[in-house]
Amino acid sequence: MDSTQAETQKSPRSNATLVTSLGLGAGNIGFIVGIFGRTVGHQTMYEATATGVGAVVVAVGLGISVASFVRKGAVG
C-alpha cells in the first residue's frame, strides 16, 4: 500500500526567514534586558544599553547554535 501512495514533498525552510526571526527575537530580548537593567538594576542609560547589546549577542549566538542543531537533526 505504501508504494502506491504519492510521496509528500517537504518545502525547504528559507534561511532569510530564520535569520529574520532570530534577529527580531534577539532584539526583543536585548530590549527587555536593557529595560530591566535600567529599572531594577539602577543602571545608567549607557550601562543599560551595553547590557541589552550583550544580551542580543548572547541570544544570537544561542539561536544560531540551536538552529544549526535543529537543521542537522540529532547528532550521532
Side-chain angles (χ1 to χ4, degrees):
M1 176 94 180
D2 288 333
S3 62
T4 60
Q5 294 179 351
E7 203 172 308
T8 58
Q9 301 240 348
K10 293 183 179 178
S11 61
R13 294 183 208 154
S14 171
N15 284 337
T17 304
L18 179 65
V19 169
T20 302
S21 299
L22 183 63
L24 290 174
N28 288 338
I29 289 171
F31 185 69
I32 291 168
V33 168
I35 290 173
F36 186 80
R38 176 80 169 134
T39 57
V40 177
H42 304 292
Q43 295 179 337
T44 65
M45 187 64 78
Y46 178 77
E47 292 168 337
T49 302
T51 302
V53 170
V56 167
V57 170
V58 169
V60 166
L62 288 175
I64 289 173
S65 300
V66 169
S68 66
F69 177 77
V70 168
R71 282 193 180 259
K72 287 181 187 175
V75 176

